[in-house]
Amino acid sequence: MASTGLAKGNMVTVLSIDGGGIRGIIPGTLLCFLESKLQELDGKSARIADYFDIIAGTSTGGLVTTMLTAPNKDNRPLYAAKDINNFYLEHSPKIFPHSSRENFVNSMTSLFGWVVGPKYDGKYLRSLTSRLLENLTLTQTLTNVIIPTFDIKLLQPVIFSTNDAKLNDLKNAKLADVCVGTSAAPTYLPAHYFETKDAMGRTRNFNLIDGGVAANNPTMMAISEIRKEMLMQNSTELNGMKKMLVLSLGTGTAKYEEKYTAAKSSKWGLLNWMYNDGATPLLDVYLDASSDMVDFHVSTLFQTLDRKNTYLRIQDDTLTGDATALDLASSENLQRLVEIGNELLKKPVSRVNLDTGKFEEIKNEGTNEEALAHFAKLLVEEKKLRENQYY
């Protein structure tokens, strides 16, 4: 399905994955289940990238997107979905190292270092992505990808996509650079600089930080990409939303009652907004606001068009304690995130209440597990329809 495929089949298929640090384990668990259902229906070789026209991911979601779409030596996805969580379990403690002998002195030293510079040096993440992805670029992904970043020098978003890279060599960045750039969360990891060059010898430089600053939930960016493609193809389908099958996966947010309050935050100064009980409230606010606003907008569009059954958003807004952290990579917390992902599969399908912003159970729509199994069925049907038309 590499191409939006608007001239084939019935639907354009979209997968979107939020940012959220180590909480990428949560959508990783959901994707493992989805891929297992695709394999039951379509054979053991089935992979997520075979069924989605566009996969969009921000920050940690950008890493997952790349794992699912970067080709290996056999031109198949570098990672199966079942391997994503193992990647997090193995590498997160090295990306976000914490002292096993934490004491007051270490805590104060860490806090001081975080105030004057990034909490982590980012060297392991840069080395890891370079080793795994080598010289692979955006044009080589197995399906179209969209990965947002933010250029701190230009003070504007930079959206990396397969389609743009095919049209403009200066946007055909190495996947390793895009991954490091979209993951460079302010205060956690350093900004990332790199350059690209085209066949004429012209260069472009990028000064990137976390894509969550622009779009922590990249669903709307994927939809905009489809609408752009339709305009370029002079599509007669004015209402493109009716041709989309969209799966949007969140990385979890704090339980409603435990979020910051006006009573607490009214007393905060700059330091408290930047660091408060092991968290960064300012960044949390930006990331949650970005994700929720996109979900509000997309939900409204699909509900207005009476197509809510072709938009599935799975999010857990009941996280508490350590599970809310972006970087607490202890073995206990990582395993807890795996459990949260599995528990989320068993929870009922929920949809955001456009008045309260809370996710509420939708009666008679079953569990997220059942919804993903149905989604897998639709994806396989769409793929087979296209194959039959092709032959």
Side-chain angles (χ1 to χ4, degrees), residues 210-227:
D210 195 311
V213 174
N216 201 50
N217 174 349
T219 306
M220 201 65 223
M221 286 187 172
I223 291 174
S224 296
E225 179 76 8
I226 292 167
R227 301 300 287 269

Side-chain angles (χ1 to χ4, degrees), residues 16 22 38 68 72 90 96 123 148 165 176 199 201 220 228 247 266 297 306 323 366 371:
S16 175
I22 60 169
L38 292 170
L68 295 172
N72 62 18
E90 178 183 354
F96 303 117
K123 291 180 180 178
M220 201 65 223
K228 181 177 75 173
L247 174 61
S266 62
H297 187 49
D306 196 27

Side-chain angles (χ1 to χ4, degrees), residues 56-226:
T58 297
S59 193
T60 199
L63 296 179
V64 174
T65 295
T66 303
M67 285 191 276
L68 295 172
T69 63
N72 62 18
K73 59 182 176 57
D74 299 316
N75 207 38
R76 294 297 289 151
L78 197 60
Y79 283 82
K82 65 181 177 61
D83 298 321
I84 292 173
N85 281 0
N86 289 334
F87 177 92
Y88 277 89
L89 294 174
E90 178 183 354
H91 297 292
S92 293
K94 301 170 187 175
I95 297 171
F96 303 117
H98 285 260
S99 172
S100 60
R101 298 176 60 188
E102 192 68 39
N103 55 40
F104 179 77
V105 173
N106 288 338
S107 178
M108 289 300 99
T109 301
S110 176
L111 173 57
F112 178 75
W114 197 4
V115 170
V116 300
K119 190 174 183 180
Y120 307 101
D121 61 25
K123 291 180 180 178
Y124 184 82
L125 179 61
R126 290 194 298 274
S127 172
L128 177 65
T129 54
S130 294
R131 174 169 57 82
L132 292 176
L133 298 169
E134 298 181 329
N135 291 316
L136 290 172
T137 67
L138 282 158
T139 59
Q140 295 172 274
T141 57
L142 298 173
T143 192
N144 297 314
V145 304
I146 296 176
I147 301 176
T149 64
F150 190 86
D151 194 303
I152 192 67
K153 182 178 180 179
L154 301 177
L155 290 180
Q156 68 179 33
V158 176
I159 313 304
F160 290 97
S161 75
T162 304
N163 283 336
D164 284 349
K166 289 177 179 178
L167 297 173
N168 182 356
D169 286 346
L170 294 178
K171 291 292 291 289
N172 187 27
K174 290 183 180 180
L175 287 169
D177 283 322
V178 175
C179 285
V180 174
T182 193
S183 303
T187 77
Y188 286 90
L189 291 164
H192 184 55
Y193 175 87
F194 64 92
E195 296 180 355
T196 56
K197 181 183 291 187
D198 67 10
M200 303 292 292
R202 293 172 296 193
T203 62
R204 177 173 176 177
N205 60 67
F206 298 90
N207 300 265
L208 303 182
I209 61 172
D210 195 311
V213 174
N216 201 50
N217 174 349
T219 306
M220 201 65 223
M221 286 187 172
I223 291 174
S224 296
E225 179 76 8
I226 292 167

Side-chain angles (χ1 to χ4, degrees), residues 220 223 227 239 241-242 244 294-308 311 354:
M220 201 65 223
I223 291 174
R227 301 300 287 269
N239 195 351
M241 297 295 293
K242 289 191 175 182
M244 297 185 197
V294 170
D295 190 32
F296 291 167
H297 187 49
V298 178
S299 292
T300 301
L301 286 173
F302 276 81
Q303 290 180 40
T304 300
L305 294 167
D306 196 27
R307 300 289 294 182
K308 56 182 179 291
Y311 171 58
L354 300 179

